[in-house]
Every structure is written in structure tokens, then in C-alpha cells.
Amino acid sequence: MEADTDILIVGGGMVGTPLALLLAQQGWKVTLLDAVTDADTGNSAAQTHPLEQRCTAISAGSVGLLDSVGLWDAVKADACPMTKVHVSQQGFFGTVRMQASDHNLDALGYVVNNNHYLTALRSRLSDSDVQHIIGARAVSYRADATSAAVAYKIDLDEGSDEKTISAQLVIAVDGIASTMRDAVGIGIRHHNYEQCAVLGCVELDQPHDNVAYERFAAGGPLAMLPRTGNIASFVYCIDAKDQNRVAVMEADEFLAMIQLEFGHRLGVFKQVGKRTIFPLTRIEAQVQQRDRLLLLGNAMRLLHPVAGQGYNLAIRDVAGLLSTLGLTPDVDPGDASVLASFVSLRESDQNRIVKLTDALARGFRGYSKLPGHIRGAGLLTMAAVPQLSQLITKQGLGYVKSAPAVR
Ligand SMILES: Cc1cc2nc3c(=O)[nH]c(=O)nc-3n(C[C@H](O)[C@H](O)[C@H](O)COP(=O)(O)OP(=O)(O)OC[C@H]3O[C@@H](n4cnc5c(N)ncnc54)[C@H](O)[C@@H]3O)c2cc1C
């Protein structure tokens, strides 16, 4: 029997939404199921305050993919370019500087407000051929030789009956606690870094000049990303044993602490918005595909945020999937051999990023067992060995190897 749709995407977050738009542009009949409703898309006054935003650094490579299909136009007005990246270690001379002009680029990447980014992409869904079902929570999964079926419930509709939708391929982009991953029995590998991330935004007393900073401070890595206005979005990775102490700090005390850790390259930190603290773990699914189900985004892998690679890797996976599916007309997108070729295409990039992120997370954590002068020498080596810093930059820029083919 013919399936209701070619490709069913479960999860309309930062990966699922552009994925749906891109697959529809490639000519697939796409249905996007998302538990989120229009009412909770997160653009309340509090969340749009400049100091309350949550941000992601998007690499030049990811931007290139979105731009090639006209999606970057939807988000670029709010995106803040990073023209330079400056990496340093507190108390040591080693620094690595990268600049867009060295790569003939306008920007090494852009920092976006997650809510604005997602809202802008979602607004494109209504003009596309994607069938978008909102407020719909997928609850179970089954597959046979020719198709898969997902049962879902409309959240707002108390006591509503389950509905079912069938597809040739189901893509789970339903986040870290993926219901679809669990439903097919794919297990996860879990590593606890014994660190926590503190997220927030600070107001600066001087322009940031579009420079992004990664500072390996005594307490742990501290990233400062430029946002529109004199705002920097920070991710500060601290030792888990300091979590309670940092959580109860008054704003002034917290500002004084990160000012001390970061120094004055961005001038004086004037104000800090609401801080969010959560434990840092690496979660990876044991396999990426099974029984017509493919895992992408956080459903597949959650990385330590030290190198800002999680989203960009997921977008390169999206590009890889588009090129795999675009290769053969009339291909069954859920066929195990098609999904296996996608997995093998993406394996080496995924492994490289996981290793790079893990090495940075372990090697540069606060209170690392590595002596500081050796870690400093690591940065100096990066500065002195262009190939190494190019490798880091190349991963950071997130080049997409092959352009997505159109069916
Ligand atoms: C502190 C931090 C900083 C980061 N910074 C960067 C960065 O600078 N650069 C970078 O590249 N990456 C960064 N990342 C990684 C990035 O945030 C993730 O890669 C990205 O958010 C993953 O998006 P996703 O769409 O896979 O998942 P999510 O954003 O979690 O979306 C999941 C979606 O699925 C829906 N859903 C869930 N369950 C169901 C269900 N049963 N049925 C239907 N729908 C469902 C949800 O409603 C949601 O819309 C960072 C991560 C962290 C933690």
C-alpha cells in the first residue's frame, strides 16, 4: 500500500525545520510533526529581551547550505557576523587568531538568536509544500518491508484518539530524549564530563567589533559570542562541584567572576541577563539508522558545547542526506542500503568532530590534570603550525563537501 508521505520528520526544532524545507525543495513529499504549538514558539517579551536570548554560532559552511536554497534570507537580518575568532588561555601566551579575510569570506560564521532563527525558518513552512502538523506528539513507531508508521497525539486535544501516519522514511529529530529512538530500541552511549555549562548574555561597555572569543580560563572554557548591539552571549563551562556556588551568586558577584576569568578584551561587563546552568554530557546513539528510521540532530548526538560544533555537524549531516537521496531518481528513501550509504558518507566527519570536541573538553577543562604550560604550548602549536589551526578553522567553518543534489 502506498505510504501517506515519502518522508516523515518527527521534531520541528533547529535541525528538523530546515531539513523539512530542504527535502521538500528536493522534490520529496514531506510531513513535519512537531510537539510544539504556535503558542509556545518562545517569542514572549521576556525571551526577546537582548539579555535573555539563547544563541548558536552557525558556521560559514552551514550558512552556505541555507543560502544555496534561499533560506539564509529568512534569518540573516538578525544574524551577527563573526569576522574574527580569538582563542587564548588565561596566564599563558599561546593564542590562536583566525580571520574571515584569510579565507576570502565576509564572516567565519554568524551568531543567531535561537528563537528568532527558528521563528524565521518556521515562517517559510507555510509557503512550502511541507505538511506541518503542530502540537502533535509522536508516541510509537512500527515498520515493515515497505513502509513505517508513526502514531501521534494532538497535545492540545485532551483525550484525543491517536492518529497514524505512514512514510517510506521517518527521520527522528526529536531531541536528546528521542521517543522515536527509544521506540525502535536504539540504545545510547553516555559520558558525563562532570562539568556544567552556564549560559547567558552580558552587556558590554564597548563594541565587540564582531570578534568571537574562546578563553580557556582557570575555572573552565569561556566562550563570548558577539550579538547585535553591545551584547555578548556566553557559554562558561565550570566544574560540576562549583555548580551550586555559581547558581546562587548575585549578578554583581557573577559578573566580577567572569570579568576576572575573561579579562578586559571586551571592556567592562555592565549587566548580565538570566543565567541557565545544566550538566554537560556526551550522548550518542549506538547506531544512526534502523528499520526505516534515521536519527539526526540531538536525537543522534549531543556534544559538549566547547567548540560550538553540534548544530553545524547536524547541518552537514542534512547536506549529506540530501546528496545521498538526490543521487538516484525513484529511490526508496527508507531502504536500508540507502541509509547505510548515508551513514558511511558521514562517518568520518562525525568521528573527527566527536574526537576534536572531546579532546578540547577534557584537555582544557578547569582544574585539568594537564599542566597549564603544556596546554598553553598546545595553543602555541596551533598558532605555529598553520595546518593544525587550519584544521580547527576548517571544522569550525564547517565546510559542506558536496552541494545537495536536486532529484
Ligand atoms: C549550551 C549549548 C550551546 C550550543 N552552542 C552551539 C553553537 O554555538 N554552535 C553549534 O553548532 N551548536 C551548538 N549547540 C548545539 C545545538 O544547540 C544543537 O545541535 C541543536 O539545538 C539541536 O537541535 P535539534 O533540532 O536536533 O533538537 P531540539 O532543538 O531539541 O528540537 C527537538 C524538537 O523535537 C520536538 N519533539 C520532541 N519530542 C517530540 C515528539 N515525541 N513528537 C513530536 N515532536 C517532538 C520538540 O518540540 C522540538 O521542536 C549548543 C548546545 C548547547 C547545549
Side-chain angles (χ1 to χ4, degrees), residues 273-308:
K274 185 171 167 245
R275 287 163 272 150
T276 310
I277 305 190
F278 61 88
L280 290 174
T281 50
R282 184 186 66 236
I283 296 173
E284 276 187 285
Q286 275 162 349
V287 291
Q288 191 155 17
Q289 58 110 353
R290 180 178 289 167
D291 299 341
R292 297 189 170 269
L293 181 77
L294 180 69
L295 307 178
L296 291 179
N298 277 357
M300 174 61 207
R301 179 178 293 108
L302 174 74
L303 293 177
H304 191 292
V306 65

Side-chain angles (χ1 to χ4, degrees), residues 314-332:
I315 290 296
R316 293 205 294 286
D317 284 344
V318 168
L321 181 64
L322 289 164
S323 53
T324 305
L325 296 182
L327 286 179
T328 330
D330 304 324
V331 69
D332 169 359

Side-chain angles (χ1 to χ4, degrees), residues 86-320:
H86 183 283
V87 187
S88 65
Q89 188 183 2
Q90 192 174 16
F92 293 89
F93 290 118
T95 58
V96 180
R97 290 187 179 83
M98 304 158 203
Q99 47 189 15
S101 52
D102 292 346
H103 300 272
N104 293 322
L105 292 167
D106 294 335
L108 291 165
Y110 292 80
V111 182
V112 298
N113 172 327
N114 295 352
N115 281 332
H116 293 176
Y117 178 80
L118 195 48
T119 304
L121 290 179
R122 280 199 178 121
S123 71
R124 290 292 173 97
L125 286 169
S126 49
D127 302 329
S128 74
D129 293 328
V130 175
Q131 186 196 9
H132 189 199
I133 308 177
I134 56 170
R137 186 165 293 278
V139 290
S140 67
Y141 181 88
R142 64 170 201 277
D144 59 28
T146 53
S147 69
V150 169
Y152 66 95
K153 281 191 146 198
I154 299 291
D155 272 355
L156 292 179
D157 205 351
E158 281 291 320
S160 74
D161 291 337
E162 273 181 20
K163 296 181 180 171
T164 301
I165 185 160
S166 62
Q168 288 180 282
L169 168 65
V170 176
I171 306 178
V173 260
D174 51 349
I176 304 161
S178 168
T179 308
M180 294 292 95
R181 187 184 63 211
D182 292 348
V184 291
I186 298 178
I188 52 168
R189 287 183 288 263
H190 187 276
H191 173 76
N192 184 348
Y193 287 103
E194 290 168 9
Q195 294 172 47
C196 289
V198 189
L199 308 184
C201 288
V202 286
E203 187 188 359
L204 311 169
D205 78 338
Q206 65 180 50
H208 48 57
D209 295 330
N210 299 102
V211 182
Y213 293 89
E214 175 94 59
R215 177 113 173 119
F216 293 97
L222 171 58
M224 284 281 175
L225 304 175
R227 273 295 294 157
T228 47
N230 285 352
I231 301 286
S233 161
F234 65 82
V235 181
Y236 182 31
C237 303
I238 57 170
D239 204 279
K241 71 178 167 49
D242 294 328
Q243 177 180 7
N244 293 340
R245 183 176 59 83
V246 173
V248 296
M249 276 182 177
E250 296 293 335
D252 286 354
E253 194 188 349
F254 180 78
L255 276 178
M257 178 184 70
I258 57 168
Q259 186 86 67
L260 191 69
E261 292 280 73
F262 184 78
H264 284 81
R265 281 196 175 92
L266 280 169
V268 172
F269 301 153
K270 286 169 61 183
Q271 276 194 75
V272 62
K274 185 171 167 245
R275 287 163 272 150
T276 310
I277 305 190
F278 61 88
L280 290 174
T281 50
R282 184 186 66 236
I283 296 173
E284 276 187 285
Q286 275 162 349
V287 291
Q288 191 155 17
Q289 58 110 353
R290 180 178 289 167
D291 299 341
R292 297 189 170 269
L293 181 77
L294 180 69
L295 307 178
L296 291 179
N298 277 357
M300 174 61 207
R301 179 178 293 108
L302 174 74
L303 293 177
H304 191 292
V306 65
Q309 290 294 315
Y311 186 66
N312 295 303
L313 180 62
I315 290 296
R316 293 205 294 286
D317 284 344
V318 168

Side-chain angles (χ1 to χ4, degrees), residues 30-109:
V30 177
T31 302
L32 174 62
L33 207 69
D34 196 9
V36 163
T37 63
D38 275 348
D40 41 46
T41 43
N43 278 317
S44 67
Q47 285 164 314
T48 51
H49 186 284
L51 286 177
E52 302 303 332
Q53 56 188 318
R54 291 292 169 262
C55 301
T56 300
I58 305 218
S59 69
S62 303
V63 170
L65 175 66
L66 296 175
D67 202 22
S68 68
V69 290
L71 287 182
W72 185 243
D73 278 352
V75 293
K76 69 179 179 195
D78 181 62
C80 183
M82 293 183 287
T83 53
K84 288 185 186 151
V85 175
H86 183 283
V87 187
S88 65
Q89 188 183 2
Q90 192 174 16
F92 293 89
F93 290 118
T95 58
V96 180
R97 290 187 179 83
M98 304 158 203
Q99 47 189 15
S101 52
D102 292 346
H103 300 272
N104 293 322
L105 292 167
D106 294 335
L108 291 165

